[in-house]
Amino acid sequence: MGYARACSVALVGVEGVVVEVQADLEPGVAAFTLVGLPDKSLIESRDRVRAAVVNSGAEWPQKKLTVGLSPASVPKSGSGFDLAVACAVLGAAERIDPAAIADVVMIGELGLDGRVRPVRGVLPAVLAAAEAGYQQVVVPEQTAGEAALVPGISVLGVRSLRQLIAILCDEPVPDEPVDDRGRPDAMLAGLMVPGTGLGAGLASPRGEGHTPDLADVAGQLRPRKALEVAAAGGHHLLFSGPPGAGKTMLAERLSAVLPPLTRQESLEVTAVHSVAGILPPGEPLVSRAPYCAPHHSATMQSLVGGGNGMPRPGAVSLAHRGILFLDEAPEFSGKALDALRQPLESGHVVVARAAGVVRLPARFLMVLAANPCPCGRHSLTGAGCECPPSVVRRYQARLSGPLLDRVDLRVEVEPVDRAALLEQGGRGEPTAVVAARVREARARAAERLAGTPWTTNSEVPGHELRTRLLAAPGALAAAERDLERGLLTARGLDRVLRVAWTVADLRGAPRPEAQDIAVALELRTGIQRGAPMEMGAL
């Protein structure tokens, strides 16, 4: 009787579970049995592994073969177990030393010719292996750079099964020809799922090679300042106004204002994008804040996550540590919009399905854009809006009160007048200048919040703002009056304090003054309070 084991990783959402792949050979009629709660694609690995082993020059054992995936209670899906199954079988057949593979984690799909094809989710799988104490992993050559992002683990990238057999047996490693005929590498097809990357731009929102600049925006002093405050503190933002006023144009320029991701944030974002299949080949680490802009016909499952079997990341997870832009927000279904309430507060989403429960990261900056009515002309003087008042109320009510209460900044975007639009020398500040102020403000916030679990002002709980991080004496008088009049809720007061701290950080002040509270109240309620909004005035 022959026995061997290797290791692989099963992904549950963006978290991994190390799976022990055990192979057992017994005398009897030649058969191949795979147990351990595999899905359809994993059951098909029996034929892929047999053909790959034979075409790699090894002999397939003509005995009763049983392959078990332990723990058996964890659902396993995907083709990433092929490499571990093949090595366990060869170890049981004594083609390779069973001790050489016992503590090696192997991830990869096998082609019928023995080539090792890349699979999605390599980074979270290697992270799970490192957390479990494993020090060696074998991955496809194309994803070796992604696996090498995990510190303290040895990564071996292989191109074929015959290469891996030669390495494990200390034999000469054969050369594998590379297809260099100028066409796209077919081996990378498994990394990118067609259609999943649309609107989840790792590139700029306008496409490759074009970086939108804030200097292109004519006028719009108040919305520009709200955009800067949102980027500096991570505050959610609502732009409302008629069509053509520049709401989408402003939102597309927010990603360039945000600071680059830290190392930990980059690993979190890369893990989600690797599982979702939108990580571009050749770019193993995402360093820019992602920008996700789903269409208003998106379902609740596509926003928060779901799908058949184990839930997959939705738009809120693809926008983790970045921007989720909902253009034409009232056109989204009420069910989909209300599903955003929990991730807006907690920074993660828990999706429960019959196949299991998955916890996905979802700490994003939400930007909403809305028209005042179905025709968009309700707020314009003399524009001829024919929408009845009941239709206008019903349209605006699609953004529910509890959802809007979680939005820190609500700004009315007025139409651009002719003078601002046609003026040649009146361009506003470029993105680089605004981004520099945002980085300085975030550095001040990070220094103040050092030693706490929070990094931006939008994450600080209200209790801390009212007990430890206090504003200047008498600065909250206006906010307290609004709270007594019912213009602010208790959550709204906490969010005003968070915005005021961000405004103070942009000014370089040690704590919020009365004018900072006035700016925060004006940006939240829309009521004019005479606060300075000019460029650089903060």
Side-chain angles (χ1 to χ4, degrees):
M1 182 179 70
Y3 172 83
R5 64 184 178 91
C7 296
S8 191
V9 178
L11 289 177
V12 182
V14 294
E15 299 176 353
V17 178
V18 176
V19 173
E20 192 175 87
V21 181
Q22 305 166 346
D24 177 72
L25 284 174
E26 297 179 356
V29 179
F32 189 169
T33 305
L34 184 64
V35 297
L37 213 59
D39 71 342
K40 179 66 175 175
S41 62
L42 187 49
I43 291 176
E44 293 174 348
S45 69
R46 296 178 299 186
D47 300 317
R48 289 196 302 269
V49 169
R50 182 187 292 111
V53 168
V54 173
N55 290 327
S56 296
E59 183 179 353
W60 184 259
Q62 299 299 320
K63 295 182 180 180
K64 181 182 178 182
L65 172 61
T66 303
V67 175
L69 307 176
S70 179
S73 59
V74 177
K76 291 99 180 166
S77 61
S79 55
F81 294 87
D82 290 0
L83 197 59
V85 170
C87 288
V89 172
L90 292 174
E94 299 182 352
R95 173 63 179 88
I96 58 180
D97 184 8
I101 61 174
D103 294 321
V104 180
V105 176
M106 301 181 182
I107 304 164
E109 176 187 336
L110 287 176
L112 299 184
D113 57 353
R115 291 183 299 170
V116 181
R117 302 179 63 93
V119 293
R120 301 190 303 274
V122 167
L123 178 59
V126 177
L127 283 170
E131 292 175 359
Y134 291 87
Q135 298 178 346
Q136 291 181 317
V137 296
V138 178
V139 298
E141 186 181 54
Q142 292 86 346
T143 58
E146 182 181 344
L149 296 173
V150 182
I153 199 162
S154 175
V155 178
L156 173 62
V158 294
R159 193 175 297 170
S160 66
L161 179 60
R162 62 177 64 90
Q163 282 187 342
L164 180 58
I165 294 174
I167 293 172
L168 293 173
C169 297
D170 290 330
E171 299 173 356
V173 180
D175 292 331
E176 295 292 341
V178 180
D179 188 0
D180 55 355
R181 286 175 281 184
R183 61 190 181 192
D185 189 358
M187 296 288 284
L188 299 176
L191 294 180
M192 294 287 289
V193 180
T196 55
L198 300 178
L202 297 180
S204 62
R206 281 297 186 189
E208 191 68 28
H210 175 75
T211 302
D213 198 298
L214 269 175
D216 302 333
V217 181
Q220 305 295 7
L221 300 184
R222 193 179 306 275
R224 286 172 60 103
K225 187 52 62 180
L227 204 71
E228 181 177 344
V229 173
H235 305 288
H236 305 304
L237 176 61
L238 167 64
F239 284 138
S240 58
K247 302 185 295 294
T248 303
M249 189 178 186
L250 286 162
E252 288 176 345
R253 281 148 179 79
L254 180 56
S255 59
V257 178
L258 292 175
L261 300 176
T262 64
R263 175 74 177 184
Q264 180 60 34
E265 292 172 346
S266 295
L267 289 176
E268 294 175 8
V269 174
T270 303
V272 176
H273 288 196
S274 178
V275 170
I278 63 172
L279 192 63
E283 297 183 21
L285 186 66
V286 180
S287 59
R288 292 177 48 192
Y291 175 89
C292 189
H295 191 259
H296 60 75
S297 61
T299 62
M300 183 184 70
Q301 289 77 13
S302 67
L303 281 181
V304 301
N308 296 328
M310 291 301 295
R312 297 177 59 83
V316 296
S317 297
L318 299 181
H320 180 60
R321 301 295 181 184
I323 300 165
L324 177 66
F325 176 47
L326 303 183
D327 200 5
E328 305 293 345
E331 299 294 342
F332 283 79
S333 69
K335 192 185 220 180
L337 289 175
D338 288 338
L340 299 177
R341 297 185 198 175
Q342 183 232 358
L344 284 175
E345 288 289 332
S346 61
H348 64 267
V349 59
V350 178
V351 184
R353 296 290 184 271
V357 179
V358 172
R359 185 180 186 271
L360 301 169
R363 188 167 296 282
F364 56 90
L365 195 162
M366 182 179 68
V367 181
L368 304 175
N371 293 327
C373 68
C375 74
R377 300 190 297 270
H378 178 69
S379 60
L380 299 178
T381 304
C385 174
E386 298 180 355
C387 300
S390 59
V391 173
V392 175
R393 286 195 303 270
R394 193 179 308 116
Y395 185 81
Q396 295 178 352
R398 293 181 182 178
L399 298 178
S400 64
L403 177 63
L404 290 180
D405 201 35
R406 290 167 168 83
V407 178
D408 302 340
L409 310 171
R410 308 174 195 172
V411 181
E412 186 74 24
V413 182
E414 302 290 343
V416 183
D417 56 20
R418 180 179 59 86
L421 187 62
L422 301 180
E423 186 179 2
Q424 297 297 324
R427 298 186 58 175
E429 290 179 314
T431 298
V433 176
V434 179
R437 283 203 301 267
V438 168
R439 286 195 298 270
E440 293 174 2
R442 287 218 175 189
R444 294 188 188 98
E447 183 180 357
R448 181 175 61 252
L449 299 174
T452 68
W454 317 296
T455 56
T456 59
N457 292 323
S458 62
E459 302 173 4
V460 181
H463 176 74
E464 292 287 323
L465 297 171
R466 294 189 299 270
T467 58
R468 191 170 67 88
L469 302 175
L470 299 176
L476 288 176
E480 292 170 355
R481 286 195 301 268
D482 284 2
L483 182 64
E484 292 175 355
R485 295 171 182 169
L487 295 177
L488 283 179
T489 62
R491 180 194 284 127
L493 178 61
D494 292 342
R495 293 185 176 274
V496 166
L497 289 173
R498 295 173 183 172
V499 175
W501 270 106
T502 301
V503 175
D505 288 336
L506 287 170
R507 287 197 306 115
R511 59 179 177 176
E513 304 287 344
Q515 63 170 332
D516 302 323
I517 299 293
V519 171
L521 286 171
E522 186 167 335
L523 290 177
R524 179 172 179 83
T525 63
I527 301 175
Q528 302 291 333
R529 300 170 188 267
M533 289 289 176
E534 293 79 11
M535 290 301 155
L538 296 184

